[in-house]
């Protein structure tokens, strides 16, 4: 509505055919953008502000309702950093994130190369690989939980056939992080496959033809052509994978709740548990951990933007 | 000859990859008495629908809630991102690049941080445990994606079509409504499908902003199921199968829109 008025008013005597002059056009643009700006302020900036507010106060459940928390500055952040659980959570985050994205990337790239040349049914089969990515997370996580169940899980039953004894995937501190990482890798393969496959399509076919004439075998073609030319796409895939994986809460929470004994607690899960996972919500330290996560993600994000700019220029 | 070999290998790979999905289906049809059989039954030779009966009996309200939340989230997301995408693509607003950057950053904020922020706001406004509150929170999963995808698509609409409309005396709003929107049908479908799927699948917001509610989405329904009765895995998996139906629908009937969405979000505009 506003756009109509703001646009016609300054046009004045000008013919309606002429595109609106600079100033009017900017007003129109602002009117179309206004819902988004309001939205970003209300539903991103304000929650983020509230999160920072939580992290620099001592919010107890009572203070939450009454709105009179004590200001504590950076105490929550210092407490977090000196908490004995911190280094464990940081290590778990590193293992979970790096383990997930490297294996996802390797498998996704192998599959992308496999599907690169069309063959009978290749499009259908490739589409089937998207399934894990489209399923609700709770569905995948609960299915994996039951598959990895110690006594009745299909994974242990299959391993038994090879003479491997019962592994307590989710209930042993030695394997729970590995178990959630495996499930997360499974979830991430489709994304890696799709992005890397799209990247492969942009490599000129003539290069492969020329290499074929020169007698290069499949491995040499991959080493000399595919991998180097795919580097920008690879970098973006790995970075986005890093940013997504850092945030993961649900798959771990549903499968192990970060346990047993913090063995699969990452920073994001730690934050979630402090705030929502126990009967005693402790928002302030949770928000401090959240700030730390944002900081890491933001650094990764800056690298991402730079990489993308560079690729746009290339 | 070689192509057949590749097809066979591809079928095997898909089989391995989708084994968990098959297993969910298999368990959903298994009798409670066979659930702890050793070794587990690999095929549902003797299927039962008791799991589906229980799932529909107990989770039907949750499924309806999820449907409502999904549709509400789609409506809100489209209302915000369509005009914004149009402005960024065609009206060259001031600060367009800043908005691009903000949208990228917004996608990087961890869900748990957003959940805490929303919790702190909602507890004051009385929006905890409401469908409306969950719709707003879920839409934050989709709005940046929607704006970026619409902008990319609308940038491809030829300028001549728009100036032709303007010569006919149409204002910017008319041009947007009568020319740009109809031409953008496919991208609207893509964004709607993904938004619905994300809202339908959301667990973090539901389990934090809606955890004490009687009106819960199906993701939370399954989660409570797991917590309550660990013996009824056929009911849990039956609910999981039903909860996967939107994804199956998307894959079978709307495949071309998926590929468009996945790549647009990540690689490039």
């Amino acid at each position: 509505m506003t756009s109509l008025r703001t646009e016609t008013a300054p046009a004045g005597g000008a013919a309606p055919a002429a595109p609106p002059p600079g100033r009017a056009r900017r007003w129109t643009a602002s009117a179309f953008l206004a819902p988004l700006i309001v939205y970003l302020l209300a539903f991103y900036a304000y929650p983020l502000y509230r999160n920072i507010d939580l992290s620099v106060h001592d919010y107890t459940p009572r203070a939450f309702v009454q709105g009179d928390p004590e200001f504590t500055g950076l105490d929550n952040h210092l407490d977090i950093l000196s908490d004995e659980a911190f280094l464990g959570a940081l290590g778990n985050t590193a293992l979970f994130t790096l383990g997930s994205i490297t294996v996802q990337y390797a498998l996704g790239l192998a599959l992308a190369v496999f599907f690169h040349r069309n063959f009978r049914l290749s499009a259908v089969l490739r589409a089937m690989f998207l399934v894990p990515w489209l399923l609700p997370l709770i569905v995948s996580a609960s299915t994996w939980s039951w598959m990895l169940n110690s006594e009745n899980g299909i994974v242990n039953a299959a391993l038994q056939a090879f003479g491997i004894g019962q592994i307590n995937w989710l209930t042993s501190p030695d394997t729970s992080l590995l178990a959630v990482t495996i499930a997360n890798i499974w979830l991430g393969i489709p994304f890696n496959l799709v992005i890397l496959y799209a990247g492969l399509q942009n490599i000129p076919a003539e290069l492969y033809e020329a290499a074929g004439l020169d007698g290069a075998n499949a491995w040499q073609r991959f080493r000399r052509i595919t991998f180097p030319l795919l580097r920008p796409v690879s970098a973006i895939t790995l970075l986005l994978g890093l940013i997504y994986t850092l945030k993961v809460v649900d798959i771990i929470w549903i499968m192990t709740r970060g346990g047993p004994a913090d063995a699969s607690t990452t920073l994001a899960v730690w934050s979630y548990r402090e705030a929502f996972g126990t009967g005693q919500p402790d928002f302030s330290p949770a928000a401090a951990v959240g700030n730390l996560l944002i900081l890491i993600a933001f650094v990764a994000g800056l690298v991402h933007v730079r990489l993308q700019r560079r690729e746009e220029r290339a | 000859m070689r192509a057949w070999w590749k097809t066979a290998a591809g079928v095997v790979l898909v089989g391995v990859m989708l084994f968990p999905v098959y297993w969910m289906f298999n368990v959903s049809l298994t009798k409670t008495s066979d659930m702890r059989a050793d070794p587990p039954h690999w095929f549902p030779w003797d299927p039962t629908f008791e799991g589906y009966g229980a799932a529909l009996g107990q989770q039907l309200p949750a499924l309806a809630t999820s449907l409502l939340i999904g549709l509400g989230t789609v409506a809100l997301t489209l209302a915000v991102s369509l005009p914004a995408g149009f402005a960024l693509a065609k009206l060259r607003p001031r600060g367009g690049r800043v908005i691009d950057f903000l949208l990228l950053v917004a996608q990087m904020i961890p869900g748990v941080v957003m959940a805490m922020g929303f919790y702190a706001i909602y507890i004051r406004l009385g929006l905890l445990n409401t469908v409306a509150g969950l719709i707003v929170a879920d839409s934050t999963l989709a709005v940046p994606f929607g704006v970026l995808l619409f902008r990319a698509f609308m940038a491809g609409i030829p300028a001549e079509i728009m100036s032709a409309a303007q010569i006919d005396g149409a204002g910017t709003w008319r041009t947007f409504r009568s020319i740009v929107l109809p031409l953008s049908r496919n991208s609207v479908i893509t964004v709607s499908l993904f938004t619905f799927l994300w809202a339908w699948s959301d667990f973090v917001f539901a389990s934090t902003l809606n955890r004490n509610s009687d009106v819960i989405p199906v993701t939370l329904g399954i989660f409570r199921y797991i917590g309550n009765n660990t013996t009824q895995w056929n009911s849990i998996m039956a609910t999981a199968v039903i909860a996967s139906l939107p994804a199956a629908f998307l894959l079978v009937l709307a495949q071309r829109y998926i590929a468009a969405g996945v790549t647009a979000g990540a690689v490039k505009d």
Side-chain angles (χ1 to χ4, degrees):
Chain A
M1 285 298 133
T2 19
S3 59
L4 261 181
R5 221 179 322 125
T6 47
E7 195 222 351
T8 41
R23 203 155 147 206
R25 200 198 64 231
R26 270 207 298 277
W27 273 107
T28 317
S30 309
F32 274 87
L33 268 182
L36 177 69
I37 308 249
V38 171
Y39 183 94
L40 287 177
L41 287 174
F43 303 130
Y44 280 100
Y46 190 52
L48 267 182
Y49 162 76
R50 284 310 313 254
N51 193 67
I52 293 169
D53 179 60
L54 286 174
S55 71
V56 295
H57 289 89
D58 181 21
Y59 266 98
T60 55
R62 198 190 57 83
F64 228 129
V65 182
Q66 302 197 340
D68 59 345
E70 190 193 338
F71 181 79
T72 55
L74 288 176
D75 282 3
N76 287 313
H77 294 80
L78 296 176
D79 286 351
I80 286 296
L81 294 176
S82 59
D83 194 311
E84 55 188 53
F86 172 72
L87 282 180
L90 191 67
N92 287 341
T93 308
L95 283 174
F96 177 74
T97 311
L98 297 179
S100 293
I101 62 174
T102 46
V103 180
Q104 279 167 5
Y105 172 76
L107 294 177
L109 181 59
L111 287 165
V113 170
F114 176 78
F115 282 110
H116 181 34
R117 295 293 173 73
N118 284 340
F119 51 88
R120 196 179 275 262
L121 291 180
S122 65
V124 177
L125 292 172
R126 197 157 39 82
M128 303 277 275
F129 266 91
L130 292 180
V131 169
W133 187 74
L134 295 173
L135 289 181
L137 231 142
I138 182 95
V139 167
S140 325
S142 48
T143 306
W144 275 99
S145 291
W146 184 240
M147 284 173 51
L148 292 171
N149 184 284
S150 295
E151 287 88 28
N152 308 108
I154 186 70
V155 173
N156 274 349
L159 290 177
Q160 220 164 32
F162 294 100
I164 298 171
Q166 179 178 320
I167 299 175
N168 296 317
W169 290 103
L170 300 175
T171 50
S172 153
D174 299 327
T175 49
S176 64
L177 187 64
L178 177 66
V180 293
T181 309
I182 291 173
N184 192 57
I185 289 169
W186 182 77
L187 286 168
I189 288 174
F191 175 77
N192 283 263
L193 167 61
V194 170
I195 305 293
L196 294 169
Y197 180 82
L200 281 186
Q201 306 299 49
N202 290 332
I203 299 179
E206 301 87 61
L207 284 178
Y208 290 105
E209 283 159 22
L213 288 178
D214 291 345
N217 63 30
W219 172 246
Q220 285 168 329
R221 287 199 297 268
F222 177 77
R223 271 288 310 276
R224 306 280 175 202
I225 301 175
T226 312
F227 200 65
L229 286 178
L230 211 55
R231 256 184 66 185
V233 179
S234 296
I236 287 172
T237 311
L238 286 167
L239 260 170
L240 285 176
L242 173 73
I243 292 164
Y244 293 151
T245 313
L246 275 176
K247 319 198 266 191
V248 168
V249 169
D250 24 21
I251 182 101
I252 299 179
W253 187 254
I254 295 162
M255 287 178 71
T256 66
R257 301 202 182 211
D262 285 354
S264 53
T265 298
T266 60
L267 288 173
V269 171
W270 190 20
S271 174
Y272 181 91
R273 186 178 53 202
E274 292 287 319
F276 303 107
T278 60
Q280 283 289 316
D282 218 347
F283 284 95
S284 294
V289 178
N291 287 343
L292 198 65
L293 272 176
I294 293 181
L295 202 68
I296 303 175
F298 190 69
V299 171
L302 281 181
V303 179
H304 173 219
V305 171
R306 289 199 66 142
L307 279 177
Q308 211 169 31
R309 291 259 164 83
R310 200 192 298 166
E311 205 205 349
E312 265 165 32
R313 253 182 274 128
Chain B
M1 264 340 265
R2 195 149 173 270
W4 278 109
W5 170 83
K6 278 200 113 176
T7 305
V11 169
V12 172
L13 287 173
V14 168
V16 172
M17 185 71 178
L18 295 192
F19 180 78
V21 180
Y22 166 72
W23 199 246
M24 160 177 79
F25 189 64
N26 182 28
V27 172
S28 76
L29 293 169
T30 304
K31 288 199 171 97
T32 309
S33 53
D34 291 342
M35 200 60 70
R36 298 190 181 271
D38 185 31
H41 294 201
W42 286 82
F43 303 101
W45 292 132
D46 185 15
T48 173
F49 290 97
E50 56 184 282
Y52 286 90
L56 287 178
Q58 294 160 36
Q59 300 290 346
L60 214 49
L63 287 163
T65 307
S66 284
L67 187 67
L68 181 67
I69 291 172
L71 294 177
T73 308
V74 170
L76 178 58
T77 302
L78 290 181
V80 174
S81 54
L82 269 172
F86 173 64
L88 289 171
K90 289 291 177 204
L91 304 179
R92 285 176 289 135
R94 222 189 264 172
R97 283 198 84 95
V98 178
I99 290 181
D100 280 358
F101 180 73
L102 289 179
L103 290 172
L104 272 177
V105 172
Q107 288 174 299
M108 288 163 189
I109 305 170
V112 60
V113 171
M114 293 294 284
M116 278 186 279
F118 273 117
Y119 190 91
I121 297 168
Y122 282 5
I123 199 170
R124 291 285 187 75
L125 299 178
L127 280 171
L128 284 180
N129 305 317
T130 62
V131 168
L134 216 47
I135 287 176
V136 168
D138 282 349
S139 71
T140 62
L141 301 169
V143 164
F145 166 80
V147 176
L148 293 174
L149 193 121
F150 285 137
R151 194 200 55 174
F153 182 86
M154 290 171 182
I157 295 178
E160 296 83 50
I161 298 185
M162 293 197 37
S163 36
Q166 254 148 21
I167 288 165
D168 289 344
T172 314
W173 173 252
R174 274 284 305 277
T175 314
F176 171 65
R177 216 192 49 197
S178 332
I179 310 283
V180 175
L181 277 190
L183 284 174
S184 309
R185 216 192 92 217
N186 283 356
S187 57
V188 170
I189 295 176
T190 301
V191 170
S192 303
L193 289 173
F194 273 89
T195 304
F196 183 85
L197 202 61
W198 287 332
W200 175 273
S201 310
D202 161 68
F203 174 78
V204 169
F205 285 133
S207 69
T208 53
L209 304 176
N210 222 30
R211 56 189 177 147
N212 299 320
S213 174
D214 303 326
V215 186
I216 56 168
V218 70
T219 50
L220 215 48
I222 296 177
F223 187 64
R224 287 190 185 171
Y225 239 144
I226 304 174
N228 291 344
N229 47 1
T230 42
T231 54
Q232 301 292 321
W233 274 91
N234 46 11
S235 315
I236 299 174
M237 289 293 107
T239 316
V241 170
I242 299 171
S244 308
L245 288 179
F249 165 82
L250 204 67
L251 199 68
V252 175
L253 294 176
Q255 216 213 91
R256 64 197 174 112
Y257 300 109
I258 303 179
V262 183
T263 34
V267 181
K268 258 193 139 174
D269 310 319

